[in-house]
Every structure is written in C-alpha cells, then in structure tokens.
Amino acid sequence: MIGDEGRAEAPGPGSSGEWPPHDAGGHSVTGHDVVSRNGAGRRVTDPAFAPTAPTQPTAVTALPASPVPTGPVEAPPAELEWDRAVELIHAAGEVSLACHVAPDGDALGSMLALAQALRSLGKRCFASFGEPFAVPAILRFLPGQELLVEPAAMPPAPELMISLDAAGRARLGALADAADRAGSLIVVDHHASNTGFGGVRLVDPDAAATAVLVEELIRRLGVPLDQDIAQGLYAGLASDTGSFKYPCTTPEVHDLAGRLLTAGVRPEAVSRELWDRAPFGYLQVLAGALSRARLERDAAGGRGLVWTTIARSDRRSVPYDQLEGIIDQLRRTDEAEVAVVCKETDDGRWYFSVRSKGNIDLSVVCAALNGGGHREMAGFLWSGTVDEALDRLRALLPADA
C-alpha cells in the first residue's frame, strides 16, 4: 500500500503508503541488487518460486490512438473502460508495461503477473521501470523477471503501453516520454491521488492494491491463474494491506487471497521473503536507531510524535533498502500518533518515512512537502537538514486533538 505517489524525485539506490515506495511490511524497495534483463542472478529460494517458460510472441499490429485524458479519477472504472482495455490488449501484438520508479511489492508484483498473463496470450511483452533499474533483494523471489528489460531497451513509442501503480505520469520516470508517445496508454492504479493521465483508466481509489485491478483484468482477458501469476498478485496484495492488517483489508480482499492460495501460492514463503529476512548488520542499525528515538508528547495537538534518524554513517554496510522495517518498530509507540524515520539516502538527501494510526491524513501532510502516499502511510524526500524538515512537518500536523 505503499501509496507512494509523491512529487519529489526518487532517491538514489535505496511500500505501503509512501513515496518513494516501500512494501507494506515496511521494507524500502529501492535496493542495490540489480537483476539483468535476462533475470540473471535472481535468487530463487523455494521451488514454489520457479518461473514458467516463455511462449513465442505474435506479430505486431497497429492500434488506434488513445482518447485525451479528462482529469482525476474519483470512481471505479466503468464497464466501458474494462471493455476498451481488453479490446486494446487482444488487438496488440506487442505490449510495454511500466510501473513506478523504485517499485514496491504491489508495483513489481502486479506488473510481472500481468506480463506473464500477456505472454500466455502470445503477446510480445516488455516490462520495466525508471532508473535506478534495480530490483530490491526482498522482491527477487518474484517469478517473471526474465521479462524485465532496462528502460533504455523499452520501445520508445510503444504500440500499447500499460502503466501500473503510478498515480501520475512523472512516477514513470524515464519511461514517461514513452507513455506520451504510446499509440494507446492504459493506466491501472489504486491511488486516490491519481492525476487522471492515460487514455483508458482502470483506476479504483477503493481498491486495496493495484494487484486487485490486475487480477480482474487478467480474468477478463480469459487467462487462468497459475502459480507464477498468482505469486506476483499475492505479493502485491500482501504488501499493500500490510500482510492483511490495514483497514483496506475487506472480505473481498480475503476472497482474492483465497483464490491466489488455491492457485498454488504459499503464504509463509512470501511472508518470509517480504518481512522475515535481514542481514545481521540490520540488528545493529535498528539498535542505534531506537537508541536515538525521541518522543514529543505535545506534537500533533497532543497526539504525540516519535522520530529517529539514520545517517549513512549509521548504517555502515547495510544497504538503504533494508532500513524501512525500522518504522514498524517506532510506530508501536502508544504515546505517539505519528512516527517518522529520517533516512539519509546514498546521494546525501533525506527520505522521511511517515506513519500514523489513522487519526491524521498523512497523504495531505506529505503532499505539502512534495511527497505523498496514503492516509496512514506516506513520505517525502528532503534536500535540506533534518531539523528543517521536522519543523515543517510539525507545523503541518493538525493542532486540534
């Protein structure tokens, strides 16, 4: 749920409800572990994660141009939008897929699930995301990564392009220009902050994850769920519901999870990869971060604020993408409605992971700081000092308890 649609630029190598995205278990997903375009080096830790073999692509056909966008989407997609999306996909011989920069479990899991579904239909398929083109360690178990290509290898003017889990054109990074030049652009997203870009918009702000919409699209395309497709969808669903503990977890979400388990997903294996692994050095970084934690009981109108910092020197050899689980420890503080972890990125800027317990809408607060996210999970990137950013943040938190 990494409602990750801020307006700032992504940090250097280093989801859910913040920008840049992190998985809902609190892991940052902008790591240094790069997967080659052939998937070389991907670590498969369980037979349940073995990918299926690719099928042969079909010839390319021309598509009509997409209609002009009309503005933000505030309601679920109409049947006409679903029909148009299915029509465009079936008509296309080649499809380019792009998710937001620094992808989280929902973005990458949804994209790879759809890529594999399209491959099963005989489509020539490319999938990518903007720089840094690095698949985080915690997502390397996802099947379908052999379909990933570097952004520079994507068609510059795709016949059909599908954007996944990006609330705005800018979130596609280096692939935004390709989206502009696409013959048709389908946008699949669940962020309330979606700007309304794209010709066909499968956007539902009430959906728990983009994976929910992708599963519906795959069903309408007539592709049955296999284990590999279900694996990506489940990773997205589990990430953006915080392992099914956030308020977006509805009976329908559990119904979908059940269908994915029926298709062969092993939830314990996914959970282990997403949330239950870290290098030993992480424990030392966590200990240091907790020792520096500060509680401000009077902040946020008396609701309380707890925060800590992690400078580059504090994390030693621990990569940036291993840090985000620390926010989940901080947010447990009973005396604080808002928790913040200030993390120095590899390029010297600071990324602020911000969480609330539901009484403060952090998407509004962080949007005012050129970030964004969801109500309970958001973030922003800052080029100044930590003290300056914290002062701005305190001022934006509601004063009325």
Side-chain angles (χ1 to χ4, degrees):
M1 176 173 168
I2 273 191
D4 30 278
E5 303 312 322
R7 293 187 286 274
E9 179 182 325
S15 197
S16 263
E18 63 180 77
W19 190 96
H22 301 71
D23 69 72
H27 297 288
S28 166
V29 293
T30 51
H32 301 280
D33 298 278
V34 180
V35 173
S36 74
R37 58 184 300 175
N38 296 319
R42 180 166 61 89
R43 176 174 46 82
V44 179
T45 58
D46 193 286
F49 299 143
T52 55
T55 58
Q56 295 299 315
T58 59
V60 174
T61 57
L63 288 177
S66 300
V68 177
T70 57
V73 178
E74 298 179 353
E79 282 297 315
L80 182 62
E81 294 290 287
W82 286 109
D83 292 344
R84 179 64 173 152
V86 170
E87 174 188 350
L88 286 169
I89 292 171
H90 279 311
E94 179 178 287
V95 184
S96 294
L97 305 180
C99 64
H100 62 65
V101 295
D104 60 358
D106 191 24
L108 189 61
S110 295
M111 182 171 70
L112 293 178
L114 183 57
Q116 292 173 97
L118 295 177
R119 183 174 62 183
S120 75
L121 291 174
K123 308 297 179 184
R124 179 172 169 81
C125 189
F126 300 92
S128 190
F129 49 90
E131 288 91 355
F133 185 65
V135 175
I138 63 169
L139 297 179
R140 287 189 300 171
F141 72 94
L142 290 174
Q145 292 183 42
E146 67 277 4
L147 293 169
L148 288 175
V149 299
E150 295 184 6
M154 290 281 280
E159 172 190 2
L160 172 63
M161 190 166 184
I162 304 177
S163 166
L164 296 130
D165 205 41
R169 164 191 185 282
R171 295 291 288 123
L172 297 176
L175 297 176
D177 289 343
D180 291 341
R181 291 189 291 262
S184 297
L185 176 62
I186 300 172
V187 173
V188 187
D189 185 38
H190 75 121
H191 294 101
S193 58
N194 189 282
T195 61
F197 75 112
V200 178
R201 286 168 282 179
L202 305 180
V203 180
D204 185 357
D206 292 329
T210 292
V212 174
L213 297 160
V214 170
E215 190 271 344
E216 175 69 9
L217 179 58
I218 290 173
R219 184 187 67 79
R220 288 172 181 259
L221 288 170
V223 178
L225 292 177
D226 63 20
Q227 182 175 320
D228 287 351
I229 293 173
Q231 190 82 20
L233 295 174
Y234 188 87
L237 191 64
S239 292
D240 272 24
T241 59
S243 194
F244 307 99
K245 67 183 179 184
Y246 294 150
C248 61
T249 306
T250 62
E252 291 76 19
V253 165
H254 282 295
D255 288 342
L256 173 54
R259 295 197 297 275
L260 299 176
L261 296 187
T262 298
V265 172
R266 292 175 48 194
E268 78 284 2
V270 175
S271 294
R272 182 173 64 248
E273 296 291 335
L274 290 179
W275 296 298
D276 296 337
R277 301 184 61 181
F280 178 76
Y282 169 81
L283 298 179
Q284 297 171 310
V285 175
L286 173 62
L290 295 180
S291 71
R292 290 187 296 273
R294 297 293 179 265
L295 174 63
E296 300 180 12
R297 297 175 184 269
D298 295 333
R303 294 186 182 94
L305 166 68
V306 62
W307 60 272
T308 191
T309 60
I310 307 172
R312 282 180 292 180
S313 58
D314 295 326
R315 54 184 169 97
R316 304 178 183 88
S317 62
V318 176
Y320 182 92
D321 73 337
Q322 294 285 346
L323 302 181
E324 193 52 29
I326 293 171
I327 189 68
D328 287 331
Q329 301 302 317
L330 221 61
R331 73 189 302 182
R332 300 174 63 180
T333 306
D334 286 337
E335 298 88 347
E337 167 68 20
V338 179
V340 181
V341 175
C342 320
K343 300 166 293 183
E344 188 178 10
T345 66
D346 291 342
D347 64 4
R349 291 179 291 175
W350 290 87
Y351 185 75
F352 286 67
S353 294
V354 190
R355 303 289 188 270
S356 83
K357 294 173 180 172
N359 295 313
I360 293 176
D361 188 347
L362 294 179
S363 66
V364 175
V365 172
C366 289
L369 295 166
N370 293 323
H374 291 297
R375 181 180 183 87
E376 298 177 351
M377 182 178 292
F380 62 94
L381 190 63
W382 189 261
S383 296
T385 69
V386 169
D387 288 342
E388 290 170 344
L390 287 172
D391 286 344
R392 291 283 305 277
L393 179 64
R394 292 185 191 97
L396 289 166
L397 294 175
D400 54 322

